Amino acid sequence: MRKLLIIGIGSGNPEHMTVQAINALNRADVLFIPTKGEKKTELAEVRREICARYVTRADSRTVEFAVPVRRTEGVSYDGSVDDWHARIAEIYEHLIGSELGDDGIGAFLVWGDPMLYDSTIRIVERVKARGKVVFDYDVLPGITSLQALCASHRIPLNLVGKPVEITTGRRLSESFPERSQTSVVMLDGEQAFQRIEDPDAEIYWGAYLGTPDEIVISGRLADVKDEILATRARERQRMGWIMDIYLLRKGADFEE
Ligand SMILES: C[S@@+](CC[C@H](N)C(=O)[O-])C[C@H]1O[C@@H](n2cnc3c(N)ncnc32)[C@H](O)[C@@H]1O
C-alpha cells in the first residue's frame, strides 16, 4: 500500500530537524515540496536546503507543486477555507496517484509541526475519505514557531501552574486580557496587540524565527508597541512578506 509521511520540518532553521524527521525523509521515494508564489521563495528555499543537507539516498525524487490561493470574495471564512482545502485535496490526490508506485512512500514537508495551525493532516484525511487513492500515513512532529519564539526569548511558555491560550489575531480580543493570562498569537495580519488595553502586559514578539533574518523584541506592551509596529512594517516592506508570532502575558509567576 502507498504510504505518506507528514514530516514537521521546524520553523526556519534546518537544524530544527529531528533525527526521526531526517530518517523519515530518507524513507521517502518522493518528496513533495509546496511552493507558495514568488514572495515566499525563502520558505521553499528552507525546504530545499533541508533536502540537500539531509537526504542521503540517491534514488529519491523531489516534486514541487503550487499551493492554490484561497478565494475570499463573496464567501464566508469557513466556506472559503473549505473550498481551498477541497482544491488542495485534489492536488494531493493527483500527486499520490501519479507520483507514487503501489508501495511507494511520499513525504510532505510541513512547516513547524503539522498539528499547529496547519491543515495537511485534515486535507490528507479528506483525500483518504474520498477513497480514490488508497494509502496510509504517519505524522512526524517538528519544532513549532511557538517553541522557537520561547527559546529565542529564553522564557517558559506558561506561568507556574497556569493555562495558556493559542489564538489568532482575529480572535485575540475575545480572550486577552480578561479570560486569558497568557495568549500566544499566530497568523496575525492586523497586529491585534495594538488594540489591547493593558499597557502593563508583557509582549514577546518574534519574526522570521530560526532564519538569518530573525528579529525579537520584548517588553512592556505600552513601551514597545510602536517599535514592533515600525519594525514589522519596515521588514515586511524589505522582504516582501513577514511571518511573526508573539506571546502576551498579564500577571506574574508566584502570585500571592
Ligand atoms: C500556517 S501557521 C503554521 C504554523 C506551524 N505549523 C508551526 O508549527 O509553527 C503560520 C503562522 O505560524 C507562525 N510562524 C511560523 N513560522 C514562523 C517563524 N519562523 N517566525 C515567526 N512566526 C512563524 C506565524 O504566526 C505564521 O503566521
Side-chain angles (χ1 to χ4, degrees):
M1 198 197 299
R2 293 179 176 105
K3 179 102 181 182
L4 283 187
L5 304 172
I6 303 177
I7 306 175
I9 60 163
S11 308
N13 185 340
E15 294 187 2
H16 285 174
M17 285 287 288
T18 66
V19 175
Q20 190 189 26
I22 293 171
N23 288 339
L25 267 191
N26 283 297
R27 275 172 61 206
D29 305 304
V30 184
L31 306 165
F32 296 118
I33 304 213
T35 51
K36 280 197 176 174
E38 293 224 297
K39 281 187 184 158
K40 293 193 179 177
T41 46
E42 287 86 349
L43 302 189
E45 203 42 57
V46 171
R47 289 184 171 89
R48 286 191 201 104
E49 189 185 333
I50 283 172
C51 294
R53 251 207 225 191
Y54 300 119
V55 175
T56 48
R57 65 182 263 192
D59 60 339
S60 63
R61 289 185 300 121
T62 296
V63 173
E64 299 205 3
F65 64 99
V67 180
V69 176
R70 186 161 64 85
R71 302 179 189 128
T72 49
E73 268 175 38
V75 272
S76 65
Y77 178 74
D78 287 354
S80 145
V81 171
D82 187 52
D83 165 71
W84 189 46
H85 285 182
R87 287 188 293 137
I88 300 175
E90 275 178 27
I91 294 170
Y92 283 11
E93 193 172 80
H94 175 74
L95 290 174
I96 297 165
S98 62
E99 300 288 349
L100 296 181
D102 287 348
D103 291 311
I105 303 180
F108 281 101
L109 279 62
V110 176
W111 198 258
D113 188 293
M115 59 80 199
L116 186 64
Y117 284 108
D118 186 276
S119 288
T120 308
I121 297 174
R122 238 171 248 123
I123 296 169
V124 163
E125 272 297 330
R126 198 165 179 149
V127 177
K128 215 165 182 289
R130 284 157 64 117
K132 291 192 182 162
V133 280
V134 178
F135 63 94
D136 197 6
Y137 71 95
D138 288 338
V139 176
L140 294 300
I143 302 285
T144 64
S145 51
L146 168 51
Q147 289 163 289
L149 177 76
C150 291
S152 287
H153 282 286
R154 304 188 301 178
I155 52 167
L157 172 60
N158 59 290
L159 295 174
V160 174
K162 297 280 171 55
V164 171
E165 173 195 62
I166 304 175
T167 188
T168 61
R170 232 158 42 98
R171 309 206 88 128
L172 176 66
S173 63
E174 294 171 9
S175 52
F176 191 89
E178 279 78 24
R179 287 194 289 114
S180 166
Q181 267 199 319
T182 301
S183 291
V184 176
V185 186
M186 304 177 66
L187 293 162
D188 184 4
E190 52 199 78
Q191 295 82 68
F193 60 84
Q194 63 187 316
R195 293 191 299 276
I196 295 296
E197 288 178 12
D198 182 0
D200 289 328
E202 295 287 319
I203 184 166
Y204 298 87
W205 178 82
Y208 315 109
L209 292 162
T211 76
D213 297 294
E214 170 168 321
I215 312 168
V216 288
I217 298 175
S218 64
R220 196 174 154 263
L221 184 57
D223 296 342
V224 297
K225 182 166 78 176
D226 290 343
E227 183 190 349
I228 295 174
L229 288 171
T231 306
R232 191 183 189 281
R234 186 190 67 230
E235 291 303 309
R236 187 165 188 265
Q237 171 79 18
R238 185 176 72 85
M239 300 277 288
W241 61 280
I242 192 158
M243 245 183 357
D244 62 339
I245 178 170
Y246 53 92
L247 182 150
L248 280 169
R249 177 175 289 164
K250 170 186 154 58
D253 261 346
F254 302 109
E255 280 170 330
E256 291 304 312

